[in-house]
Amino acid sequence: MSKPRKPKGRPISGWLILDKPVDFGSTEAVGKIKWLFNAQKAGHAGTLDPLASGMLPIALGDATKTVPYVMDGRKIYEFTVTWGEERSTDDLEGEVTQSSAQRPSEEAIRALLPDYTGVINQIPPQFSAIKIAGERAYDLAREGETVEIPSREVEVHRLTLLKCEADRAFFEVECGKGTYVRSLARDFGRELGCYGHISELRRSYVAPFAEEMMVPLAELVALEAIEDKDERLAALDAFLVDTAEALSALPQLRITEDQAHRLRMGNSIIVRGRDAPVAEPEAVALSGNKLVAIGEIASGEFHPRRVFN
């Protein structure tokens, strides 16, 4: 019987808050970071289109278990809508499908914004990762098919017009999971009767990671010049954010090392103490500053669901 293969790379865990450059895909970015850090496992929390720049949180190792919590977080984008053309991809990359010589006034744009704030119905772009009958919409669109994508509810917490120019307008939006900024641009243009598409897009925030945590890719790539491998990896590791940072919004339970051992074995532990929570559908168990488990507190016990090494 053959032995199971040993995973390639280091069993390193943590978050790298990448400042993704334009013309670099999210999957390509994950592959580059995994290779640079010589990590066994890597994944990202929310795709950024190649033409978009900004915050792309990348999870390494055990941090990949916390990706869903970051995916659900609020996001902030700065974006530019260029008027006069609607495009197949709803951004600069696509072919022009509609055009108009009309241009909207600043007053007309401002009057539009309340209709796109709060819980709204939105149809994702034809070129999106939405699955239609088991196929990705962008795969069908590349084959020339136009598919009917059902609308869905998304939440826009804040939408601000930053500046207006003759042919374009600059916005900032704070939104929830699943919001397509490209759809906002498309719908603005249609409602204003002038058509529009995204010409610039930058993500500056993905909860709970702050903008100042971002690390430019070029800064990481520059460290390849360090010849000593251990020295190079240590320099890279200094940019990692602790895995537990992704779970800062959840209630925290401080436990002993003995309790941590029980949880790692998959066993529940009794929650004691005057200030201990009675019930929580989701909470984090920490031993010192180390993340041990995510689980539920019920009937005076912490029941682990995801355990961290």
Side-chain angles (χ1 to χ4, degrees):
M1 187 175 177
S2 61
K3 291 183 180 180
R5 285 185 179 181
K6 187 178 178 182
K8 290 182 179 180
R10 299 186 297 155
I12 188 170
S13 294
W15 282 91
L16 189 280
I17 315 305
L18 183 69
D19 187 346
K20 187 191 82 66
V22 171
D23 292 331
F24 204 69
S26 295
T27 302
E28 187 182 359
V30 170
K32 182 68 174 178
I33 295 304
K34 184 182 178 185
W35 179 81
L36 278 172
F37 281 80
N38 190 26
Q40 286 182 359
K41 193 162 51 170
H44 67 73
T47 302
L48 266 184
D49 296 331
L51 292 181
S53 68
M55 187 178 288
L56 181 67
I58 295 177
L60 301 180
D62 255 8
T64 55
K65 297 176 184 177
T66 66
V67 163
Y69 298 90
V70 179
M71 293 278 281
D72 286 343
R74 290 190 184 194
K75 298 162 183 70
I76 295 176
Y77 297 88
E78 293 176 7
F79 64 102
T80 304
V81 179
T82 294
W83 308 117
E85 292 179 346
E86 185 171 304
R87 299 193 173 212
S88 57
T89 57
D90 299 315
D91 63 16
L92 267 177
E93 199 172 30
E95 297 177 358
V96 177
T97 56
Q98 302 278 0
S99 62
S100 171
Q102 289 190 56
R103 297 294 181 267
S105 66
E106 182 172 337
E107 292 73 20
I109 297 169
R110 289 193 185 279
L112 199 67
L113 301 188
D115 293 339
Y116 290 87
T117 306
V119 177
I120 64 171
N121 280 300
Q122 184 182 76
I123 297 175
Q126 287 285 314
F127 283 81
S128 65
I130 301 293
K131 282 196 172 181
I132 306 293
E135 300 272 351
R136 296 287 184 190
Y138 54 65
D139 288 330
L140 296 171
R142 286 187 189 119
E143 291 168 6
E145 289 189 46
T146 301
V147 295
E148 190 170 330
I149 302 177
S151 69
R152 57 183 185 171
E153 283 192 347
V154 297
E155 188 165 9
V156 175
H157 303 282
R158 177 174 56 84
L159 180 57
T160 308
L161 176 64
L162 302 175
K163 187 174 69 169
C164 271
E165 294 179 357
D167 291 322
R168 56 185 183 166
F170 303 80
F171 300 86
E172 184 177 76
V173 64
E174 182 176 354
C175 54
K177 179 182 179 182
T179 306
Y180 278 93
V181 182
R182 285 182 290 140
S183 291
L184 290 177
R186 176 200 66 208
D187 294 345
F188 289 174
R190 288 179 181 178
E191 193 162 339
L192 290 165
C194 62
Y195 301 116
H197 64 274
I198 293 284
S199 51
E200 289 180 313
L201 177 63
R202 180 169 176 79
R203 187 161 65 193
S204 59
Y205 176 74
V206 178
F209 303 119
E211 188 172 3
E212 54 268 23
M213 289 179 171
M214 280 197 283
V215 185
L217 180 62
E219 195 170 330
L220 299 170
V221 170
L223 296 177
E224 291 182 63
I226 300 175
E227 291 184 9
D228 184 87
K229 183 181 178 181
D230 291 339
E231 185 183 343
R232 181 173 68 253
L233 291 175
L236 286 163
D237 290 351
F239 288 107
L240 289 180
V241 176
D242 192 80
T243 301
E245 284 287 323
L247 307 170
S248 57
L250 295 180
Q252 297 186 349
L253 179 68
R254 299 287 169 177
I255 62 172
T256 66
E257 194 51 50
D258 286 343
Q259 289 175 313
H261 178 71
R262 282 188 57 79
L263 289 178
R264 290 191 182 106
M265 297 295 288
N267 300 310
S268 299
I269 59 170
I270 296 172
V271 177
R272 292 191 176 93
R274 185 178 59 185
D275 299 325
V278 177
E280 289 288 353
E282 236 173 3
V284 175
L286 297 162
S287 176
N289 292 321
K290 288 184 179 179
L291 175 61
V292 178
I294 303 169
E296 176 190 15
I297 299 174
S299 304
E301 290 188 333
F302 181 93
H303 305 279
R305 287 180 185 154
R306 284 187 176 273
V307 176
F308 298 81
N309 296 320

